[in-house]
Amino acid sequence: MQMGSTLLDKKQDPCAWIQRVCEDAPPRWVGAGLGRRCRSSDLQRPRRLRHSLKAEAVMAATVVSRIGMGTRRSPIMWLLLSLVAVAAAVATEQQVPLVLWSSDRDLWAPVADTHEGHITSDMQLSTYLDPALELGPRNVLLFLQDKLSIEDFTAYGGVFGNKQDSAFSNLENALDLAPSSLVLPAVDWYAISTLTTYLQEKLGASPLHVDLATLKELKLNASLPALLLIRLPYTASSGLMAPREVLTGNDEVIGQVLSTLKSEDVPYTAALTAVRPSRVARDVAMVAGGLGRQLLQTQVASPAIHPPVSYNDTAPRILFWAQNFSVAYKDEWKDLTSLTFGVETLNLTGSFWNDSFAMLSLTYEPLFGATVTFKFILASRFYPVSARYWFAMERLEIHSNGSVVHFNVSQVTGPSIYSFHCEYISSLSKKGSLLVTNVPSLWQMTLHNFQIQAFNVTGEQFSYASDCAGFFSPGIWMGLLTTLFMLFIFTYGLHMILSLKTMDRFDDHKGPTITLTQIV
C-alpha cells in the first residue's frame, strides 16, 4: 500500500481509506479488535442513515492506543492508523447545509429553535425525510453541488434586504412560493454522503442523472417514483469564474428545472445540498453593508411599528409617538403603549391647536382607579437673533382626582419646522431626568424613543427631527482634552529641543589652550 496515494484517497473518501487499511491489517491484530471490526459490515458503505462515522473514530483511536502499547515493530502502520483516527474524527465535524421544499403542503412541522452550532445528525435527518417521502410527491429532485457551506449564503445571499445582489434569487423565490419548506443550516457530512442511497431505498427507484435537455424529454408520472439527480458545479479555487458567478449559474439551473416541472404540472419534492463543505473567503469589500445571514437565518420577528397619535381638526396638527409609554403612581407602573398608539377610540378631548400654541390631551379611564389626563403643552415663538420660529414644550401636566402635577420639560425644544426626538424623556434619574417637578410627586413617567411635532405638520409623517443628544458627548470631550494634552507635551518637548545650544569654540592643540576662568 503506497502511503502517498493512501493520503490522497483519504481526503476524498475517509470511509474507503479506512476499509483499505483494515484489509491490509495483519492477522495478529485481530486480538486488538481491528480485524474483527474490519470484517464487520460497519466499514462497508452503509445502506441506511442510522450508522455513524463517530463509532469508527472511537474504534480507530482505541486500536491505535492498544497497538502503541503492545507493538513496537510496526511504526509505519501505527502512524497510518493514527491518521485513520484523525481522518474519521475530522469527517464527523464537517457539515453542509440542506434546503428542502415541496409542492405539497404540511410535509414538515416547524423546526424548534436549536442552540447555535447545532448539527443535524443522520437520525434526525431521517425523521425529517421519512414523512415527506411517504406522504409527499413521488418525484424527488436532488440538486447536488460539489461544495457548499453556510458561508456561501452568508457572503452571496443578498444581506440586509439587498435581494438584487443575491446569487440565490431563484432558490429564495422557490422557498417563498413553496407550500412546504425546511432549511437545515448544518447537517452531518456523513448523513449527506449516504443521502442518495437512502432516497433510492425509500423510493425504490435508481437515481437518474439528468440535465436540462434530458429533463425536457422525460415524461414524469405523479404516481410512479422517480429520483432525479442534478449535479451543480462549484469550484472555489478556479480562477476562470468567481464563486458568485458559479453560484448564480447554479441558481439559474435550479430556476430552469423548476420552471420545466411547473409547466408540466408535475408535483415534486426538491433538495439542495453538497457533497462536502466549501471554504468561502469573506470579501468585505464585496458587500457594502457588511456580511450577514439572510437565506438560512432564523428570522427574528421585528417589533410592531405602531402609528403615531394624530390630532386633527381640518388637517393633521399634532403628532406624538413613543416606542414605550409608561406611567407609575405610588411605584405601580402601567404600560400605556397599547392603549395609546394605533387606537382609534383614544380620547383626545381637550386638545387644541393654533399657529403659536398647541396642547395634546390624552385621557384614560379607568387608570389607577380614576380618570387620568396627560396634557402636552407646546408654544412657538419668533426669535430675532436666529430669524426663525422655535418651539418649546412648556410643561407636561397630569390631571387626576382634581389634582394637577406639573413637569418642567424645557429641554424639549427645536426649530418649529422640525420635530423633536429623544431616546428617553423620563422623571427617573437613571434615564436623564428630563421631566422635573418643583415639588415631590407620587407620579413617575417614562417615554422611550419619544417624538413630537406640533407645528408645520405635513400629512401623517414627522419632519426632520431635532435630537436631544448634544454634539459634544463625554467621549468627544475626553478625546479633545487628551489630544490637547498630548499636543502640549509635544510642543514643550519641541521647544526644549530647539533651545539646545552647541559649542562654538573647540580646543586646538596647535594654538593656545582654552582657559576657563573658574567662577567662585
Side-chain angles (χ1 to χ4, degrees):
M1 179 171 57
Q2 299 295 325
M3 184 174 181
S5 61
T6 303
L7 293 178
L8 179 61
D9 295 341
K10 176 203 64 167
K11 295 180 181 180
Q12 298 176 351
D13 194 343
C15 295
W17 188 63
I18 294 173
Q19 183 177 359
R20 287 196 297 273
V21 172
C22 290
E23 289 174 353
D24 294 338
R28 66 176 180 274
W29 288 3
V30 174
L34 179 62
R36 182 171 62 255
R37 291 292 292 175
C38 289
R39 290 193 300 272
S40 67
S41 60
D42 291 338
L43 283 180
Q44 304 300 323
R45 281 293 184 187
R47 296 179 60 83
R48 303 188 64 85
L49 289 173
R50 290 193 291 265
H51 301 296
S52 175
L53 195 59
K54 294 181 180 179
E56 303 305 328
V58 175
M59 181 275 295
T62 304
V63 173
V64 166
S65 62
R66 292 182 180 181
I67 294 176
M69 292 184 296
T71 304
R72 297 184 179 180
R73 292 176 295 179
S74 303
I76 297 179
M77 294 306 299
W78 185 87
L79 175 61
L80 292 179
L81 288 173
S82 301
L83 295 176
V84 170
V86 173
V90 170
T92 62
E93 298 300 327
Q94 295 179 339
Q95 61 272 349
V96 294
L98 176 62
V99 183
L100 299 164
W101 69 98
S102 178
S103 59
D104 279 12
R105 295 183 178 275
D106 303 326
L107 293 185
W108 298 286
V111 181
D113 291 338
T114 55
H115 61 83
E116 183 178 0
H118 173 75
I119 300 177
T120 303
S121 64
D122 46 8
M123 293 295 293
Q124 292 174 328
L125 181 59
S126 64
T127 60
Y128 294 136
L129 294 179
D130 287 346
L133 297 177
E134 294 171 0
L135 305 176
R138 305 296 291 167
N139 295 306
V140 177
L141 301 176
L142 179 58
F143 296 97
L144 193 60
Q145 198 159 282
D146 291 341
K147 293 186 290 183
L148 186 66
S149 292
I150 191 67
E151 288 79 9
D152 290 305
F153 297 101
T154 301
Y156 309 112
V159 297
F160 301 113
N162 298 325
K163 296 302 182 182
Q164 65 275 11
D165 297 332
S166 176
F168 304 96
S169 57
N170 290 308
L171 177 59
E172 294 171 2
N173 185 59
L175 292 177
D176 292 338
L177 299 179
S180 300
S181 63
L182 178 66
V183 175
L184 302 175
V187 180
D188 185 26
W189 174 85
Y190 178 76
I192 294 297
S193 66
T194 57
L195 180 58
T196 304
T197 304
Y198 176 78
L199 294 176
Q200 180 179 350
E201 290 188 355
K202 276 292 184 178
L203 294 173
S206 299
L208 179 61
H209 295 260
V210 297
D211 52 21
L212 288 177
T214 308
L215 183 63
K216 294 180 180 179
E217 297 177 358
L218 288 177
K219 298 299 181 182
L220 298 177
N221 193 328
S223 60
L224 297 178
L227 176 57
L228 305 181
L229 181 61
I230 299 101
R231 296 300 297 262
L232 302 175
Y234 178 82
T235 309
S237 60
S238 175
L240 299 179
M241 296 182 65
R244 175 183 289 275
E245 297 177 0
V246 177
L247 292 172
T248 303
N250 292 345
D251 184 69
E252 292 177 357
V253 173
I254 294 176
Q256 294 174 7
V257 171
L258 298 181
S259 298
T260 302
L261 295 180
K262 185 177 180 180
S263 62
E264 298 179 359
D265 195 21
V266 176
Y268 67 90
T269 296
L272 170 65
T273 187
V275 177
R276 57 187 180 275
S278 64
R279 297 183 180 271
V280 177
R282 293 173 177 263
D283 187 0
V284 178
M286 175 186 57
V287 182
L291 300 178
R293 295 187 180 180
Q294 195 71 17
L295 178 64
L296 301 182
Q297 182 182 25
T298 301
Q299 298 295 329
V300 179
S302 58
I305 304 300
H306 39 255
V309 173
S310 176
Y311 168 68
N312 306 277
D313 47 17
T314 59
R317 299 301 185 185
I318 306 175
L319 296 178
F320 162 61
W321 187 86
Q323 184 175 336
N324 181 269
F325 180 17
S326 298
V327 179
Y329 180 69
K330 295 182 179 179
D331 295 329
E332 180 185 354
W333 284 91
K334 295 286 187 181
D335 187 355
L336 303 181
T337 307
S338 59
L339 302 176
T340 305
F341 304 101
V343 179
E344 297 181 358
T345 59
L346 180 64
N347 190 350
L348 300 179
T349 303
S351 299
F352 173 78
W353 178 91
N354 61 32
D355 291 338
S356 60
F357 182 82
M359 180 174 64
L360 179 64
S361 178
L362 309 176
T363 302
Y364 302 88
E365 54 180 345
L367 182 62
F368 301 110
T371 300
V372 182
T373 301
F374 301 90
K375 294 184 178 181
F376 299 83
I377 302 173
L378 303 95
S380 177
R381 299 180 179 87
F382 180 79
Y383 291 86
V385 176
S386 60
R388 68 192 312 177
Y389 284 90
W390 288 69
F391 78 91
M393 184 180 293
E394 295 185 340
R395 62 188 181 276
L396 191 155
E397 299 179 354
I398 302 179
H399 297 252
S400 175
N401 292 330
S403 63
V404 181
V405 177
H406 298 270
F407 287 95
N408 180 19
V409 280
S410 58
Q411 296 190 41
V412 178
T413 183
S416 295
I417 60 174
Y418 294 160
S419 63
F420 177 84
H421 173 268
C422 194
E423 183 177 6
Y424 281 105
I425 296 291
S426 177
S427 58
L428 302 178
S429 58
K430 63 180 180 180
K431 295 184 178 179
S433 295
L434 294 183
L435 295 178
V436 181
T437 57
N438 296 327
V439 295
S441 173
L442 299 176
W443 289 90
Q444 301 288 340
M445 178 183 292
T446 296
L447 293 162
H448 178 44
N449 277 338
F450 167 80
Q451 189 167 4
I452 193 169
Q453 183 176 357
F455 305 98
N456 299 286
V457 175
T458 303
E460 297 287 342
Q461 299 293 329
F462 286 100
S463 301
Y464 175 83
S466 175
D467 203 278
C468 64
F471 179 77
F472 288 99
S473 63
I476 294 178
W477 279 116
M478 291 177 62
L480 288 176
L481 293 177
T482 304
T483 302
L484 291 175
F485 180 71
M486 298 299 293
L487 183 61
F488 170 76
I489 295 177
F490 173 76
T491 304
Y492 180 77
L494 182 62
H495 174 73
M496 295 295 293
I497 292 175
L498 295 178
S499 298
L500 293 176
K501 293 183 178 180
T502 59
M503 295 179 58
D504 57 353
R505 297 180 63 191
F506 300 93
D507 189 13
D508 186 2
H509 65 279
K510 294 182 179 181
T513 60
I514 298 176
T515 302
L516 300 177
T517 303
Q518 183 178 5
I519 301 176
V520 180

